[in-house]
Amino acid sequence: MEKKQFKAESQRLMDLMINSIYTHKEIFLREIISNASDAIDKLAYRALTDDQVGLNRDDFKIVVVPDKEARTLTVSDNGIGMTQEEMENNLGTIAKSGSLQFKKETEKTDDAEIDIIGQFGVGFYSAFMVADKVTVISKAYGADTAYKWESEGVDGYTIEPCEKDTVGTDVIMSIKPDSEEEKYDEYLEAYKLSGLIKKYSDYIRYPIRMEMEHSKPKPKPEDAGEDYKPENETVKEWETINSMIPIWQRPKSQVKDEEYNEFYKSDFHDFEDPARTISLHAEGALTYDALLFVPGHAPYDMYSKDYKKGLALYSSGVLIMEKCEELVPDYFNFVRGVVDSADLTLNISRETLQHNGQLKAIARRIEKKIKSDLASMRDDDREAYEKFFGEFGRAMKFGVYSTYGMAKDVLADLLLFYSAKQKKMITLDEYLADAPADSDAIYFATGDSIERMAQMPIVTTVLAKGHDVLLCNENVDEFCMMALGSYSNDSVVSLGDDGESTPKTFTLKNVGGDDLGLTSEEEKKEAEEATTENSDLFGVMKEALGEKVEKVVVSTRLTDAPAVLTTEGAVSLKMAQMFNAQATASEERPEIHVVLELNDKHPVFGVLKAAHAAGDDDKVKNYAGILFDQAMLMEGLPIDDPIAFAQAVTALMK
């Protein structure tokens, strides 16, 4: 028999197909099964117009048979089959796709039942990644003769007539022997094959059948005595491995919540029900289905560098990517789910997309859907939303910061912070709804403890002036607030000179910052005059504190406390501490300008003045250190020398 050469630069191109196109060898089974599904689709389509086919949908199947002794793996279908000419064209011409041609011929029919998977004509050759010989036996529908195509790879192929009773195709792969690098024997193991089918081909629309071994108790003999011990036996049973109909393609009205929950727990390996289930169907230039889940709790590694986000991407029910990162933004990285579309333009390996614009279009729609659903949960089920936010709020806050505030339009109204005034978690909109009419700022404080922040002098001062303060106790909070910068909504407006109303913009201000906008010009002037008047005293205190403070001034914001630490500029004390703790020896620390503000109406200030007037600057310096450390502790920050602080306080008690 004459061996024919592959067309189109056979050896070089064939080698490319076998060794370079696919990332993982296990992909071969997906490709062979997809081809079998396409073959059945073609005959199913013929059955719609030809009564002589004599088959209905329930008759079609794909059969997978591993044979360890013969070292073969056979994938069989009862689809359309191939003639000798079709074997020449589709198997002998690399990258010639009969499925693509069929798809073009039928694309104007708008038949929902026809959903061809293969388009490139290269998937078949993936079999050579695991097989050193591939045999294809096929009998075309309406033909009297079957044909056998056989090849050992780049050397070419043979075609000859053969015997086959039924219409369809058998792909027989002679599995390679194990090597030091690769374990090919696993592709002869039923459990391995069933796992690959579940992973990549679970939603192929036709049943994929395979004989599976199970251990079952032997029937108890009738004459068994009281001392009979049950015995097990291994039995083989034909099973349908795949689920066939994806749950996301079923009408939402026909799917129970329990089914969604079970699918989520099974496919995403969670032990509890999801907090939210989001179903999305889109039609148009790009038709797709999406089924999304918001987990009930954050995975243990969510905030680690090893955590990988993304949705499972399917094309016509065939898994393309387990985690497609482009489908969800980082700030919604907790969302799990699937996206399935027959319209995706895949690359030749069907592992990635050729046109990223399609992904971007889907991602934009998914982002809007997630945002809408979370907003509904926030408004309609606050208890559930606060639980959700406790698990995933940090990711959204970091999303604001990591996008330099560009994501604020999506995320800002979803954020929750603890209100010092209302003593509960609130949104920025709820903060504004309770703000004084003349307010132009949203005030916040940062620290490690809600309870400690609520008692900070600077917080109580702002509260006393009728303004709320958001107490932020997560490391990301201050960065988030900086990235937000300002906030507005349509419910709070201001009138322009032309009489037109526009949303009023509120600046986010750290209560530890240099100007809160709560002091009158007269109060500022008085403080400046008092600072000048006591410049000699403050000079002594500045000398004692050295580089710890930029300057010492009279405060305009204190009522009861003797002193407070503030900063000039964007970097707060807490932020500086965080940077310094994380920075390496070679990294530059952020520049920080710390100000020690004193309450000139507090008795302690009188003591300082008296000591300075008496010439006891040592006492002034000692008190300066105590006041600084006190202020640091009230901020929830560590002090340099706790022992020295304790000794200084003890000395006062003598």
Side-chain angles (χ1 to χ4, degrees), residues 14 30 44 52 54 68-69 84 136 178 266 336 568 578:
M14 189 69 169
R30 179 194 74 178
Q52 296 183 359
K68 291 183 180 180
E69 293 185 6
Q84 181 178 6
V136 180
D178 279 353
S266 173
R336 302 175 180 179
E568 295 179 334
M578 193 187 312

Side-chain angles (χ1 to χ4, degrees), residues 489-551:
N489 63 29
D490 293 335
S491 63
V492 184
V493 299
S494 59
L495 294 177
D497 296 336
D498 57 358
E500 293 291 326
S501 62
T502 58
K504 185 177 179 180
T505 299
F506 292 79
T507 304
L508 281 97
K509 293 184 177 182
N510 192 327
V511 294
D514 50 355
D515 185 12
L516 300 183
L518 298 176
T519 306
S520 68
E521 291 300 319
E522 184 178 351
E523 289 172 323
K524 290 180 181 178
K525 185 179 179 181
E526 288 178 0
E528 290 172 359
E529 291 175 350
T531 299
T532 303
E533 181 183 333
N534 294 280
S535 59
D536 291 342
L537 168 64
F538 294 162
V540 175
M541 298 180 72
K542 171 68 175 72
E543 182 184 351
L545 297 172
E547 295 182 355
K548 291 181 178 179
V549 298
E550 185 81 11
K551 59 184 176 182

Side-chain angles (χ1 to χ4, degrees), residues 150-337:
E150 194 166 77
S151 174
E152 295 180 1
V154 298
D155 290 337
Y157 63 93
T158 60
I159 297 179
E160 60 179 335
C162 67
E163 295 295 323
K164 189 177 191 315
D165 296 332
T166 58
V167 171
T169 300
D170 303 329
V171 179
I172 306 164
M173 293 159 279
S174 298
I175 302 301
K176 296 176 181 180
D178 279 353
S179 65
E180 292 185 2
E181 295 80 19
E182 298 288 346
K183 304 297 181 184
Y184 294 102
D185 283 0
E186 63 182 0
Y187 301 119
L188 297 170
E189 298 289 343
Y191 76 91
K192 174 67 174 180
L193 296 170
S194 67
L196 292 179
I197 292 169
K198 291 292 292 184
K199 180 178 181 180
Y200 291 106
S201 306
D202 197 35
Y203 305 113
I204 291 289
R205 67 176 68 198
Y206 306 105
I208 303 173
R209 303 276 290 169
M210 190 165 67
E211 198 173 30
M212 302 294 293
E213 290 186 352
H214 297 285
S215 181
K216 289 187 175 182
K218 288 183 177 180
K220 184 178 180 180
E222 294 181 1
D223 57 350
E226 294 182 358
D227 58 345
Y228 172 76
K229 295 181 179 179
E231 296 181 3
N232 289 342
E233 62 179 345
T234 300
V235 297
K236 291 185 176 182
E237 295 177 335
W238 283 96
E239 296 180 8
T240 297
I241 306 301
N242 60 324
S243 304
M244 290 186 282
I245 300 177
I247 191 171
W248 57 84
Q249 290 185 359
R250 294 164 56 189
K252 191 175 181 179
S253 59
Q254 298 179 13
V255 183
K256 298 179 180 178
D257 290 341
E258 292 78 7
E259 293 180 272
Y260 282 133
N261 293 343
E262 286 305 312
F263 170 78
Y264 166 75
K265 289 188 286 190
S266 173
D267 273 45
F268 298 100
H269 312 293
D270 203 346
F271 60 88
E272 66 178 49
D273 294 340
R276 301 286 284 190
T277 299
I278 307 170
S279 180
L280 173 62
H281 176 74
E283 293 184 353
L286 192 61
T287 300
Y288 58 90
D289 293 285
L291 182 60
L292 313 173
F293 300 96
V294 177
H297 65 280
Y300 73 93
D301 61 343
M302 180 171 169
Y303 297 108
S304 73
K305 62 180 181 180
D306 297 326
Y307 180 75
K308 292 183 179 179
K309 68 179 179 76
L311 305 178
L313 180 63
Y314 287 79
S315 178
S316 301
V318 177
L319 180 65
I320 305 302
M321 300 172 67
E322 282 192 275
K323 290 190 175 182
C324 183
E325 296 184 4
E326 292 90 342
L327 286 171
V328 284
D330 288 343
Y331 42 83
F332 289 153
N333 64 355
F334 49 85
V335 175
R336 302 175 180 179

Side-chain angles (χ1 to χ4, degrees), residues 294 302-303 329-335 367 370-371 374-375 377-378 385-386 388-403 405 407-408 410-417 474 476-477 479-481 483-484:
V294 177
M302 180 171 169
Y303 297 108
D330 288 343
Y331 42 83
F332 289 153
N333 64 355
F334 49 85
V335 175
E367 180 187 64
I370 295 172
K371 164 66 185 289
L374 292 179
M377 179 167 53
R378 176 201 64 203
Y385 187 76
E386 290 188 12
F388 151 79
F389 196 83
E391 296 285 338
F392 305 109
R394 183 179 169 189
M396 293 194 292
K397 291 175 181 177
F398 187 77
V400 175
Y401 168 67
S402 63
T403 62
K408 63 186 289 184
V410 177
L411 300 173
D413 64 337
L414 295 175
L415 303 179
L416 295 180
F417 303 95
E474 292 188 316
V476 70
D477 283 340
F479 297 98
C480 173
M481 292 300 198
L484 283 173

